[in-house]
Amino acid sequence: MRIRATVAAVTGALALTALAAPAAQADAPRIPADSSATSEIARDAGQGKSAFAAAAADTPYLLDASFSKVKVNNGKNIPVGTTNVVKVPVSFTLTHAADLDIHASDFVAAVELYRGASFDDPIYFFDSNAATCTDSSSTVASCKATVKINPSELINEDAGSWKAAAFAVAFNGEDPEYPNMGNVGVAVQDPTNSFKLQRYSKLTVNASPEPVKKGKTITVTGKLSRANWETGKYAGYTGQSVKLQFRKKSSSTYTTLKTIKTNSTGNLSTTVTAGVDGYYRYAFAGTSTTPAVNAAGDFVDVQ
């Protein structure tokens, strides 16, 4: 299990000594900037141990709370570019015991998005802020939160399949920095969702010459590129099938003319015979790591 920077700050060197990987595995783990000590407590409770073992031998008790109707990004995959922090909305229904005060200042319910086998053993992750919950009854609440994904924290291999887990921690008056863990309640539901974290894609098109005489050759060029999280720039997406499509000036529907592949730099080039006025575009269907994208249509006047 990876040890988070927040846990180091909360539990001190003793907990790190107890849980750190052997010297043979000395590579520093990747730590999300906004990682949550609260989620670390929930994670360790799920593993039957505590990151706070140096401070107290007790482990958290099972909190009488459960999660349902968990939504991540309104059910859509999450494309991430090279610079902008992506704010991902998450929501869920929290069902809990009537005597559990979910509005207490030391109660936290949240969602974690992670890459890896499970919430207990993530490769990388992002935690939401503490959810804001609105009561539907004395035992049910609707909760909302936001997960912030900063592309500067990602590496390209992070693209692909991710999952979500929901968790809640009730400190019950304990000092969050040095709690008696036997008085802390924890509930975890994992996984709640699956989705794709994707490298944002761009697609261009240029049809020339403009105008062109009927029966003459039109050359259609373009480029398919996607975010490279490690360089902070966009790079060509090579060897990908892309459709060349056309719609008449009087139509709103595109039809596929042919399918070609991007070259070693992500560039596209093909030719067609000029027939009637209309718009040419390239269309990419997407992959598990890269979202679908359509180029804006380029108009050609046929004379």
Side-chain angles (χ1 to χ4, degrees):
M1 184 188 77
R2 297 174 304 158
I3 305 304
R4 301 183 183 185
T6 47
V7 175
V10 172
T11 65
L14 287 176
L16 284 177
T17 301
L19 295 176
Q25 302 174 5
D27 290 344
R30 296 166 58 214
I31 306 297
D34 293 329
S35 59
S36 164
T38 303
S39 68
E40 189 70 21
I41 295 173
R43 190 185 322 286
D44 291 334
Q47 295 174 330
K49 61 192 179 207
S50 169
F52 296 83
D58 291 333
T59 56
Y61 67 87
L62 181 61
L63 196 64
D64 188 358
S66 61
F67 305 87
S68 61
K69 299 180 180 179
V70 181
K71 290 185 179 180
V72 175
N73 201 37
N74 299 311
K76 300 177 181 178
N77 291 328
I78 304 172
V80 179
T82 58
T83 56
N84 293 335
V85 173
V86 177
K87 297 180 179 180
V88 181
V90 296
S91 61
F92 54 89
T93 297
L94 178 64
T95 302
H96 58 90
D99 59 355
L100 175 60
D101 184 4
I102 66 168
H103 301 293
S105 60
D106 59 357
F107 177 87
V108 176
V111 170
E112 178 168 290
L113 309 183
Y114 68 88
R115 171 182 167 233
S118 67
F119 176 74
D120 290 343
D121 188 23
I123 296 172
Y124 203 62
F125 57 90
F126 292 94
D127 291 330
S128 76
N129 62 323
T132 299
C133 296
T134 302
D135 293 329
S136 302
S137 70
S138 60
T139 59
V140 178
S142 297
C143 304
K144 295 181 179 181
T146 302
V147 181
K148 295 181 180 180
I149 299 179
N150 190 331
S152 67
E153 298 181 40
L154 294 168
I155 59 177
N156 293 334
E157 68 181 47
D158 287 330
S161 298
W162 281 56
K163 300 174 186 176
F167 62 91
V169 176
F171 284 97
N172 298 313
E174 291 291 330
D175 181 350
E177 293 190 355
Y178 299 100
N180 177 345
M181 294 302 293
N183 292 332
V184 175
V186 171
V188 176
Q189 185 166 328
D190 174 53
T192 59
N193 305 75
S194 60
F195 59 93
K196 305 293 186 186
L197 186 71
Q198 297 178 311
R199 297 163 62 179
Y200 192 89
S201 56
K202 296 181 178 181
L203 185 55
T204 63
V205 66
N206 181 58
S208 63
E210 304 173 46
V212 64
K213 290 185 178 180
K214 185 175 182 179
K216 294 295 184 179
T217 297
I218 297 173
T219 300
V220 186
T221 59
K223 183 168 185 175
L224 174 64
S225 59
R226 61 176 179 167
N228 185 322
W229 293 328
E230 295 168 20
T231 65
K233 300 178 181 180
Y234 282 83
Y237 196 9
T238 65
Q240 300 302 307
S241 295
V242 178
K243 294 178 179 180
L244 174 65
Q245 298 181 328
F246 176 78
R247 72 174 175 90
K248 295 179 181 180
K249 181 179 179 180
S250 59
S251 173
S252 60
T253 303
Y254 277 93
T255 58
T256 298
L257 301 180
K258 63 175 73 174
T259 299
I260 64 173
K261 286 193 173 183
T262 57
N263 67 10
S264 60
T265 57
N267 289 318
L268 296 154
S269 183
T270 191
T271 59
V272 294
T273 300
V276 296
D277 291 356
Y279 298 83
Y280 292 90
R281 75 174 185 184
Y282 282 117
F284 174 60
T287 64
S288 62
T289 61
T290 308
V293 60
N294 295 326
D298 187 24
F299 181 74
V300 174
D301 178 17
V302 179
Q303 298 180 342

